[in-house]
Amino acid sequence: MGKTEKRTCLNCGEPFTADARNARHQRYCTAVACKAASKRASQANWLAKPENRDYHRGPESVARVKAWRATVATPIRKTSNRRIG
């Protein structure tokens, strides 16, 4: 395992100690808001690649989603918690 050092979180700016198993590429701390920011940044980086820009568009994607929807159960609609009457 590599050595760990204090780093500054790219989201909150607080110092943190990276997990030794993934210290070479950990840039965000483990706070919930920072995990969400890390995921947003990761997804934005993925979508910015030219080969991924049209991944969710086109007839192939529509067919893929329709096939997936046919295999999963229909979600139950959530109703309001307000009482009527």
Side-chain angles (χ1 to χ4, degrees):
M1 304 231 180
K3 69 177 189 174
T4 58
E5 58 195 43
K6 286 279 187 180
R7 293 190 177 178
T8 304
C9 176
L10 291 180
N11 186 53
C12 67
E14 295 293 321
F16 71 98
T17 303
D19 186 295
R21 294 169 290 186
N22 64 353
R24 66 184 174 83
H25 57 84
Q26 185 175 354
R27 302 289 179 250
Y28 294 85
C29 69
T30 57
V32 174
C34 298
K35 287 181 182 180
S38 173
K39 182 164 178 72
R40 280 192 307 272
S42 177
Q43 288 178 327
N45 287 338
W46 187 85
L47 282 172
K49 293 179 182 178
E51 64 269 17
N52 297 333
R53 286 194 182 137
D54 293 330
Y55 183 80
H56 298 291
R57 294 183 177 96
E60 300 87 16
S61 293
V62 171
R64 179 172 38 86
V65 171
K66 283 185 178 180
W68 173 79
R69 284 183 181 161
T71 64
V72 296
T74 320
I76 299 172
R77 276 184 135 174
K78 288 186 176 182
T79 58
S80 175
N81 290 335
R82 290 183 280 167
R83 289 183 169 221
I84 300 173

